[in-house]
Amino acid sequence: MATYIFGHTIPDTDSIVGAISLSYLKNHLGEDCVPARQGEVNPETKWVLEKFGFEAPQLKTSYAGEHVYLIDFMERSQSPEDIDDATILGIVDHHKLGDLTTKTPLEMWVRPIGCSNTIVKQMFDYYKVDIPKDLAGMMLCAILSDTVIFKSPTCTKEDTKACKELADIAGIEDYKTVGMEMFIVKSDVLNATPRELVTRDFKDFNMGGNSIGVGQLEVVDLSVFDKMKADLFEDMKKLKEEGGRHSVLLMLTDIMKVGTQLLVVSDEPEKIEHAFNIKLENGEVWLDGVMSRKKQIIPFLEKQFA
Amino acid sequence: MATYIFGHTIPDTDSIVGAISLSYLKNHLGEDCVPARQGEVNPETKWVLEKFGFEAPQLKTSYAGEHVYLIDFMERSQSPEDIDDATILGIVDHHKLGDLTTKTPLEMWVRPIGCSNTIVKQMFDYYKVDIPKDLAGMMLCAILSDTVIFKSPTCTKEDTKACKELADIAGIEDYKTVGMEMFIVKSDVLNATPRELVTRDFKDFNMGGNSIGVGQLEVVDLSVFDKMKADLFEDMKKLKEEGGRHSVLLMLTDIMKVGTQLLVVSDEPEKIEHAFNIKLENGEVWLDGVMSRKKQIIPFLEKQFA
């Protein structure tokens, strides 16, 4: 029986590449593993897969009776609905300890660093397994994406070290330029519907019994959103109602200016204001220096809703 | 501010030695760490500490406002009461994924193997830090204890490999004899009260809202319990009432015969019978081949009470 390896509900580049890179390593170590994904591949990830000549992992949303490894998440709200009927053999992740539990002992490689693929790189080193050139290129892009080309406060020395080593293997000299190319692809939001944008990189969290969804769009210039703000707000309201959510937040992150325009639709906007010690105007506010959902948004919401 | 490193509520040798060994490693890596413990040191652990010339870690049961690493557990029921007010920086463990959660990213070294100190040994190797001779001896004993000198089904090749390497460092040639000496110390149950015996190695679990406590005593000859069974049952009943528990189980494990006499006090004994497909007689039953609470008892209870 093959073991499936997959990331969170709405996959990002780290989730998709991590499923592929961890499967490669595990297969090399004698396990029979298959990469999978829970949702659609986003434009950035599609660009990365094509650039290095990989197929997207198979779409699979039900895992009852299966053996699985999780990559890049350990929250129930980001899991398949039947996760309790699967056997979780292991987790590779760089987030907070979530609310998933298991019935049996497992393997966990969790580090407070910028990207799951940095951990997978360290696993390759630990087991002394060579990384193929094209896979190294994809893993490099995953780390550049998660760390916003090292600008995110989540980025650590371990991430930059992994990038340098992966760039060497991939034969990519100017890897920051590759990162910028990738973010320019990511910045192309004009051909997408509001729903596609709000949910492109969206994660649900259970905070003290409240369902809170936080999306993020990282672009090289925030002005692309000028004419679509009203539509985004409209869709966030719908998404909030549809999912019975307490709040839907959307981070519009400017990777050049290093900051985030935060859009908020909430049953209790004053709680969001209090969490960040801010004042919303027409449901939005500029948060200077804020780049990371995981490190600069979620912990403050968690404290507020604890 | 120093970071505290400690194991589960009622510490065993792996918890105590792990607090010391992980603190040593972390201090060597530039962190300021202090080993601690949540409860009394048991006779086996006392023997190990004395043999290798170590003091017991400090007793500390409250951790509000502190930074902590957890070793050998990740269950809320085995945590200090104010764990939610502490910041968990990391977890080193070899159990199932428990119900603890964190607000921020953390470090987790979790493996499905026989002992937490095997993982700490691998961490020393990963960071290329030498293990002092006496510390290696203690870590060896922790692994021999947790794996019942390699007889437990939880024991893996990684555990036996770590033992051989630690024995080399410690200069101990016949380490299985040291293990037997330790288990003879552990088998001395005649001078203890029933409460001391029932709770010597006792863990509480939350299973589907039910509090279930499982103790274990490993001895070289089960006949030592012949005259104290009635007293043990009496105390298990008290312990069940005091803690509002659904069930209290006590594993009397014979490490030579390789099996466990299971004693059960429960609101629904038929559920325990069903979990293991057994029939209790006067609240007890012999389970041939059963050595491990973690691998051969807890998963079956979890399934039954899910």
Side-chain angles (χ1 to χ4, degrees), chain B residues 3-42:
Chain B
T3 297
Y4 291 95
I5 305 185
F6 58 90
H8 41 82
T9 327
I10 298 177
D12 59 2
T13 299
D14 190 27
S15 273
I16 296 289
V17 174
I20 296 171
S21 59
L22 186 58
S23 291
Y24 180 92
L25 174 64
K26 286 284 182 185
N27 285 331
H28 206 93
L29 295 173
E31 294 183 52
D32 179 16
C33 291
V34 177
R37 61 185 162 94
Q38 293 193 65
E40 288 310 305
V41 173
N42 71 34

Side-chain angles (χ1 to χ4, degrees), chain A residues 38 90 155 193 244 255 261 303:
Chain A
Q38 293 192 65
C155 187
T193 65
I255 72 164
Q261 187 76 13
K303 262 174 213 158

Side-chain angles (χ1 to χ4, degrees), chain A residues 263-275:
Chain A
L263 276 49
V264 176
V265 172
S266 175
D267 288 342
E268 296 172 285
E270 65 281 6
K271 278 204 167 179
I272 311 293
E273 290 182 325
H274 193 247

Side-chain angles (χ1 to χ4, degrees), chain B residues 18 20 46 50 54-55 96 112 223 231 248 255 266 268 282:
Chain B
I20 296 171
K46 211 169 280 176
E50 274 169 23
F54 282 82
E55 296 287 318
K96 69 192 177 69
S223 67
D231 292 339
V248 169
I255 72 164
S266 176
E268 296 172 285
N282 299 320

Side-chain angles (χ1 to χ4, degrees), chain A residues 112-115 118 143 146-161 163 292 294-295:
Chain A
I113 62 180
C115 182
T118 303
I143 304 174
D146 259 22
T147 62
V148 194
I149 318 175
F150 307 162
K151 285 183 181 177
S152 170
T154 61
C155 187
T156 67
K157 276 182 195 164
E158 298 182 52
D159 299 296
T160 53
K161 180 171 174 281
C163 273
S292 165
K294 188 173 63 150
K295 203 158 181 173

Side-chain angles (χ1 to χ4, degrees), chain A residues 187-203:
Chain A
S187 299
D188 180 15
V189 297
L190 297 176
N191 295 312
T193 65
R195 175 57 53 100
E196 281 166 1
L197 291 177
V198 174
T199 61
R200 185 175 278 176
D201 175 8
F202 188 83
K203 288 181 181 173

Side-chain angles (χ1 to χ4, degrees), chain A residues 133 166-173:
Chain A
K133 188 176 170 176
L166 288 166
D168 275 350
I169 298 168
I172 296 172
E173 269 183 44

